[in-house]
Amino acid sequence: MGSMERVKVPMSMLLVQTFTTGMMLLSKVVLSKGMFVFSLLAYRNAIGVLFVAPLAFSFESKIIFLININICCLIFLFYFYRVTLAMSLYYYGLKDTTAAYSSNFLNLIPIITFIIAVILGVERLRIRSSEGKIKLVGALLCVGGAVVFGVYKGKILHIWPSHQRGSFLLICSCFSYAFWFVTQVKLYKVYPSKYWGTVWTCFVGSLQTAMLGIIMNRRKEAWRLKWDLQLLTIIYSGILNTGATFCLISWAVSQRGPTYPPMFNPLSVVFTTILESFLFGQQISIGSLLGMTMIFGGLYAFLWAKRKEILMKGKTSEGDGSVAVLPVSDKD
């Protein structure tokens, strides 16, 4: 088992958080300049379709014929959570706040996803095992670090958020993201495709957001594209944050479960704060450094426990003499 093979899934999630950081910084700029949220969503998902479709035809040419009415309904529900609710609410929350402030709310997604997955039986808590205890402590430490990162600055404790409307929208977005991660498990069981699943999801999402956007704003100015930062944001978000990210997250969920990808969300807070400090002169406080330490410690504990659980599951299946489809191949 090579060292590179072991880190493929975590490295892919690290890449997703890098894409997310760039998306948040670019989106904050264009939204502050008046870009219509639903036009951004509709265009970026159309770009996502154009980017992923050639990959789907090349690597999954046969899976397209597996589509049926049940899968269509799941895809509709899947993207309703991902874009119509989660992304639109997040963009409106981002528009009312700042990139660093809104990115901190992404850290609620891991614990919300974890709780929902346990309640629905998608994820087992296994609290009696040492791995289960460490996984739970890691998740709480990671989220706790994100809270410290966001509210403790070293001298002043910001108990009440200054952006009330934006905060409410961001919290609602977190719940929608959590349901999206859990929904992916069902979708992957009936439609095991990371490419075609992404194509159909982006296509449906583009239609949903376009229709809602037209209802909300029919002015041509809201939908007109120019050769400026808005177009760059759409292309960047469409290729990296919609096309590539959807494929990587779908693959990670199939390998590690729905609670695995959102555990990396706190990293985007760290990346965003560092970049804002470097680009815009924002100060990094002692509270930020403490939060970073807790985030990295909690993330390491969670990933270690998750891997131990997977290895134990593999040994149990071998001991029973049963042939099981495990979420991780022997290469991982």
Side-chain angles (χ1 to χ4, degrees):
M1 187 188 301
S3 58
M4 285 301 297
E5 293 294 332
R6 283 199 303 268
V7 299
K8 283 194 301 184
V9 181
M11 285 299 292
S12 68
M13 294 300 96
L14 182 63
L15 196 60
V16 166
Q17 296 309 315
T18 304
F19 296 158
T20 301
T21 301
M23 178 273 294
M24 286 190 292
L25 294 174
L26 286 172
S27 299
K28 175 58 183 177
V29 174
V30 298
L31 291 173
S32 298
K33 292 184 177 180
M35 186 173 187
F36 183 41
V37 167
F38 281 95
S39 66
L40 173 57
L41 289 174
Y43 287 137
R44 68 172 275 185
N45 285 286
I47 294 292
V49 172
L50 296 177
F51 172 71
V52 182
L55 299 175
F57 278 112
S58 299
F59 299 111
E60 297 175 345
S61 58
K62 296 180 181 179
I63 297 182
I64 186 175
F65 299 108
L66 298 178
I67 199 80
N68 57 43
I69 187 64
N70 292 330
I71 294 174
C72 288
C73 291
L74 268 178
I75 289 175
F76 183 87
L77 182 64
F78 177 79
Y79 213 85
F80 178 75
Y81 286 131
R82 179 64 172 89
V83 171
T84 308
L85 285 181
M87 293 181 66
S88 59
L89 289 170
Y90 186 82
Y91 271 141
Y92 276 111
L94 174 63
K95 187 176 181 179
D96 287 348
T97 59
T98 65
Y101 182 85
S102 59
S103 66
N104 192 58
F105 278 80
L106 295 177
N107 302 299
L108 295 175
I109 298 175
I111 194 65
I112 295 173
T113 305
F114 188 76
I115 293 172
I116 292 175
V118 170
I119 292 174
L120 297 180
V122 177
E123 179 87 9
R124 293 187 179 182
L125 188 57
R126 302 182 188 275
I127 195 63
R128 294 183 179 179
S129 67
S130 59
E131 292 82 10
K133 291 185 178 71
I134 294 174
K135 185 172 67 173
L136 181 60
V137 170
L140 294 176
L141 185 62
C142 202
V143 175
V147 172
V148 171
F149 194 99
V151 302
Y152 178 65
K153 304 302 179 186
K155 293 183 178 180
I156 302 173
L157 188 63
H158 300 278
I159 300 176
W160 302 107
S162 57
H163 309 282
Q164 294 182 359
R165 179 177 176 273
S167 299
F168 175 74
L169 294 174
L170 291 168
I171 291 173
C172 292
S173 173
C174 291
F175 276 93
S176 299
Y177 270 113
F179 277 106
W180 172 60
F181 281 113
V182 175
T183 306
Q184 282 191 79
V185 177
K186 281 194 172 185
L187 179 62
Y188 191 82
K189 284 181 179 179
V190 297
Y191 198 64
S193 164
K194 60 177 176 290
Y195 294 121
W196 277 116
T198 301
V199 170
W200 293 122
T201 299
C202 292
F203 177 73
V204 172
S206 184
L207 290 179
Q208 285 183 2
T209 51
M211 289 187 292
L212 284 172
I214 291 173
I215 293 173
M216 295 175 65
N217 191 341
R218 296 184 181 182
R219 293 185 300 110
K220 292 182 180 180
E221 292 77 12
W223 299 89
R224 184 178 292 120
L225 293 178
K226 299 178 181 178
W227 292 93
D228 55 10
L229 190 61
Q230 290 187 0
L231 184 60
L232 174 62
T233 303
I234 290 171
I235 295 174
Y236 176 95
S237 301
I239 294 177
L240 298 181
N241 285 100
T242 299
T245 293
F246 278 22
C247 292
L248 291 172
I249 289 179
S250 297
W251 176 64
V253 168
S254 70
Q255 298 290 304
R256 297 289 196 268
T259 61
Y260 189 88
M263 281 302 302
F264 287 80
N265 284 355
L267 295 180
S268 65
V269 184
V270 176
F271 296 160
T272 302
T273 301
I274 292 174
L275 280 176
E276 284 196 331
S277 176
F278 179 74
L279 297 175
F280 308 115
Q282 179 176 310
Q283 295 181 346
I284 297 179
S285 65
I286 295 176
S288 298
L289 294 176
L290 177 61
M292 287 184 194
T293 304
M294 293 175 65
I295 286 170
F296 284 118
L299 182 60
Y300 178 82
F302 180 88
L303 297 180
W304 181 88
K306 190 71 175 177
R307 179 163 182 79
K308 291 288 288 184
E309 275 190 352
I310 293 169
L311 292 176
M312 289 298 295
K313 186 176 180 180
K315 290 179 181 179
T316 302
S317 299
E318 291 175 3
D320 294 340
S322 59
V323 179
V325 180
L326 299 178
V328 181
S329 64
D330 55 359
K331 292 183 179 181
D332 292 328

